[in-house]
Amino acid sequence: MQFLPKNPLVLALLAVALPVALWGQRTWTASGFVRDAETGEVLISAYVYDAGSGRSAQTNAYGFYSIQLTGDSARLQASYPTYAPVLKVVRPGSSAAKSDFALRSLDVELGEVEVTADRPIQQEVQMSTVSLSMKSVKNLPVLLGETDILKIIQLMPGVQSGTEGTSGFYVRGGGPDQNLMLIDGVPVYNVNHLFGFFSVFNADAINSVDLIKGGFPANYGGRLSSVLDVRMKEGNRKEWKATGALGLISSRLTVEGPLWKDRTSVLLSARRTYLDVLAQPLIAAQSPNTRGGYYFYDLNGKINHQISRNHQIYLSYYQGLDEAYARNTEKYEFNGTQFTNTIDNSLNWGNQIATARWSWVMSPRLFSNATATYSRYRFVTDIKGEDREESAGSTNINRYAIAYLSSIKDVGGKWDFEYKYAANTTFKWGASVTQHRFEPGVSSFGWSDGGVNVDTSFGSVPQTALDNVVYGLVDVSLNDRLRVNFGFHGNQFEVGTKKYLSIQPRFSARYLVSEKGSFKWSYVQMAQFMHLLANQTIGLPTDLWVPATERVRPQESWQTAAGYAHNLGKGWELSIEGYYKDMRNLIEYKEGASFFLGFSDWQDKVTTGRGWAYGAEFLLEKKTGATTGWIGYTWAKTTRQFAELNFGNPFPYTYDRRHDMSVVLNHAFNDRVSLGAVFVYGTGRAVTLATRKMFARPEDAFDGTWLQTVESIEGRNSFREPAYHRADLSLTIKSPTKWGEGAWQIGVYNAYNRINIFYMDFGYDDNNRRVLKGFGLFPIIPSVSYSFEF
């Protein structure tokens, strides 16, 4: 058999052409960062596309991309929603090309711009994910003019809000403790300000927000229901800028700029309410001897330095505090003795978070990120008093103090890696270790009368736990239509003498049925080694974080979801998903148990049970153009079952809502004037109410005149509050100034004055008949705020 031609001329041509052909087909890697051209801020999840080969890549959480190419050159286009795409011709150096992109934000007057290289929804293997545009968020109407990303998250399908006006949210039947809240990759254990009406996230300091409701990648773990990944801005690398706002109850200011242009930047952001300052004259008028009030503040700081193109270090810090206080001093004289009684009461809670991070581009294909983390949440109640008696020649002082403390503190480190193995294959792996210290409710009492001192503590015993994590995942395109993401998340949790080991498989798949549409499916197992003893009402800080122990097992769940995603073109996207979730080892307070001033351990106050949830979600969204927004709808059912509650029978979860709908509109008339509108509707909450009242005589009563009231209920959470619905409107008017730009935002919360139920109770009408009454919290509330940038 003869394979080679005998003609010497043909052989010579082959000898020259074959190496050239092989050179043209050799594989090389282009990598780099995608940034905002005006600020130098990295653009997370930006899309880099090679039209010649059809290959694409997406930037990671640090703005880095890596894409494998063939040929002697490639035309790469980088794009990002609301930014103008940039096209570059890149060529390999030796075996790689370093190519960074700088994208400029689109102005409204450019009109409808369709960026064809934006990552289409049907291409993503990750499902059940929502990404927020911070530009759009700031134009939407909000309570009292305070921009709050958690209230925007509540408008998404699969996410249920808590009580009226609060920032708490419940994802696919889960509880508030089952949401992993991250600021720059560090967990936050309490995200509420003002008893839940506002969150700790300052919108001016945020770069990106992603919510994952299911199909969790293997690098996330520790919670059952969702991941809220908030990435803070790094600071302007090009020039110094300041942004801020003046509102009805609070003001904020953010300053950012370069310490070394294009190399080192810093960001400082602060926010504080002035409710205490405004309330002081009113309190003084009613009670001259009393000072009291409430305030909260947030501080964010971040500094990053680019050592070289391949090495970058970051330091970030967050601190937030709420405090409610009342101080009273009474003086009087009796029989020549001067008496002074002082009472000082305070309630405060807050978070502290610190992060040190080193990003290293180890090669064009390999990216790593090493992080050291610190997180602390603490809730403290203090009651202090002093009774002073002064008479001729003698002074007697009695002091007392009652305190209640609950806290959780984490110290940890992690190292993550991302490797672009081939054009269609990416590996991610990493490991972390975190030490938790829990103080779940410790009460103390002290007394001193000058001669006798008493000081004692009681309640739950502090506990320390060690959480070790290792994970790995592969993202691979098996062919032009089928792409899968699979991996595992391993946990070893050590508390006391107990060691829990959990290996959680993760799997997601996407199958293209056309250029515009795809089916998706995911299956995940999750484990959570912390519990939250929650009151299930408003976001009071009395919720206690406690670990899994020898007696209380970790929470576990599995969830599967299937859906269809379709790119309708011109910025329109449609997604439909159905899900089922099963949860085990959930905990609740036993009937009559309380968190405060208890002598018993928390483990004696709880009961263990299970829960399950299923539903369907619909989202139609428009992401580009002068008019943006979405229509979301959720049909869902959520059930709980505990052996020691409701006689062991299943019952609806408090936030089980059969129907939930939101309509969100954001329209820019021009580059100065924009309108925001929101409408929400939801089935009423499930509550427990008595249906009968009886009078019974206790056995130790001496006669029939001593009767005890006994109320009978048909079942836990068997009654529904009226449906919740409201509409909000806002108008934003921007105006240039000599020093920069200002904007007025005029808003109306609950525009048609719907009185939604905050809580229900029995009372009496004008005819002294016992009736069930509903109490609302917020009527129509106008607001105005002024924001500025210079």
Side-chain angles (χ1 to χ4, degrees), residues 567-614:
N567 185 352
L568 302 172
K570 294 187 177 180
W572 287 91
E573 293 180 346
L574 170 69
S575 66
I576 302 172
E577 291 188 20
Y579 67 89
Y580 183 89
K581 181 196 296 184
D582 185 85
M583 298 167 283
R584 304 278 177 167
N585 304 325
L586 306 180
I587 66 171
E588 288 274 8
Y589 279 121
K590 295 178 181 178
E591 297 287 1
S594 173
F595 78 96
F596 193 54
L597 290 178
F599 287 88
S600 61
D601 188 75
W602 67 269
Q603 298 177 84
D604 299 320
K605 302 177 182 180
V606 300
T607 181
T608 304
R610 62 182 291 256
W612 59 94
Y614 52 88

Side-chain angles (χ1 to χ4, degrees), residues 504-726:
Q504 306 147 39
R506 313 286 175 83
F507 184 86
S508 299
R510 176 228 68 196
Y511 184 80
L512 287 170
V513 295
S514 68
E515 291 184 357
K516 297 291 186 178
S518 66
F519 286 107
K520 301 182 182 183
W521 176 73
S522 67
Y523 174 84
V524 298
Q525 291 184 11
M526 307 291 286
Q528 179 171 328
F529 297 90
M530 300 180 189
H531 299 271
L532 185 68
L533 294 175
N535 52 56
Q536 291 193 7
T537 56
I538 63 174
L540 289 172
T542 53
D543 296 349
L544 308 179
W545 285 100
V546 294
T549 66
E550 293 93 335
R551 294 170 54 188
V552 180
R553 292 184 58 81
Q555 301 180 60
E556 296 175 333
S557 75
W558 63 266
Q559 180 184 168
T560 185
Y564 176 76
H566 195 90
N567 185 352
L568 302 172
K570 294 187 177 180
W572 287 91
E573 293 180 346
L574 170 69
S575 66
I576 302 172
E577 291 188 20
Y579 67 89
Y580 183 89
K581 181 196 296 184
D582 185 85
M583 298 167 283
R584 304 278 177 167
N585 304 325
L586 306 180
I587 66 171
E588 288 274 8
Y589 279 121
K590 295 178 181 178
E591 297 287 1
S594 173
F595 78 96
F596 193 54
L597 290 178
F599 287 88
S600 61
D601 188 75
W602 67 269
Q603 298 177 84
D604 299 320
K605 302 177 182 180
V606 300
T607 181
T608 304
R610 62 182 291 256
W612 59 94
Y614 52 88
E617 302 167 3
F618 169 90
L619 179 64
L620 177 64
E621 185 173 12
K622 189 173 187 295
K623 292 187 173 182
T624 62
T627 302
T628 58
W630 65 85
I631 299 174
Y633 171 76
T634 306
W635 183 96
K637 183 175 177 61
T638 305
T639 307
R640 296 286 193 268
Q641 186 175 23
F642 293 82
E644 298 182 63
L645 299 178
N646 201 45
F647 304 103
N649 298 319
F651 58 89
Y653 185 46
T654 303
Y655 296 101
D656 169 48
R657 286 183 176 171
R658 198 69 67 248
H659 305 283
D660 203 78
M661 184 180 72
S662 62
V663 181
V664 179
L665 174 70
N666 202 332
H667 178 73
F669 295 99
N670 50 50
D671 62 336
R672 292 186 55 195
V673 182
S674 62
L675 173 72
V678 171
F679 173 77
V680 295
Y681 173 90
T683 302
R685 287 188 307 158
V687 295
T688 303
L689 293 175
T691 56
R692 291 179 296 172
K693 183 171 68 172
M694 299 173 289
F695 297 95
R697 185 179 65 180
E699 294 181 358
D700 55 351
F702 294 102
D703 55 47
T705 59
W706 182 17
L707 295 178
Q708 186 178 31
T709 301
V710 178
E711 292 184 334
S712 173
I713 63 173
E714 291 184 355
R716 191 178 180 97
N717 292 342
S718 60
F719 185 83
R720 289 281 176 178
E721 293 180 347
Y724 180 98
H725 55 88
R726 73 167 203 278

Side-chain angles (χ1 to χ4, degrees), residues 422-465:
N424 62 346
T425 306
T426 301
F427 291 93
K428 292 183 181 180
W429 69 93
S432 68
V433 58
T434 304
Q435 184 186 66
H436 308 280
R437 179 172 174 80
F438 300 86
E439 293 186 0
V442 178
S443 303
S444 62
F445 175 77
W447 171 270
S448 172
D449 65 356
V452 178
N453 295 310
V454 177
D455 190 358
T456 186
S457 297
F458 52 91
S460 299
V461 177
Q463 291 178 297
T464 300

Side-chain angles (χ1 to χ4, degrees), residues 738-778:
K738 295 180 179 180
W739 39 264
E741 184 179 78
W744 288 97
Q745 187 178 64
I746 303 167
V748 180
Y749 182 87
N750 195 7
Y752 55 86
N753 199 32
R754 160 75 174 181
I755 304 302
N756 290 296
I757 301 300
F758 185 70
Y759 74 95
M760 304 187 75
D761 199 4
F762 287 99
Y764 295 89
D765 62 12
D766 295 337
N767 297 319
N768 202 33
R769 292 177 299 188
R770 185 174 169 85
V771 294
L772 179 63
K773 292 185 176 182
F775 298 88
L777 191 62
F778 295 119

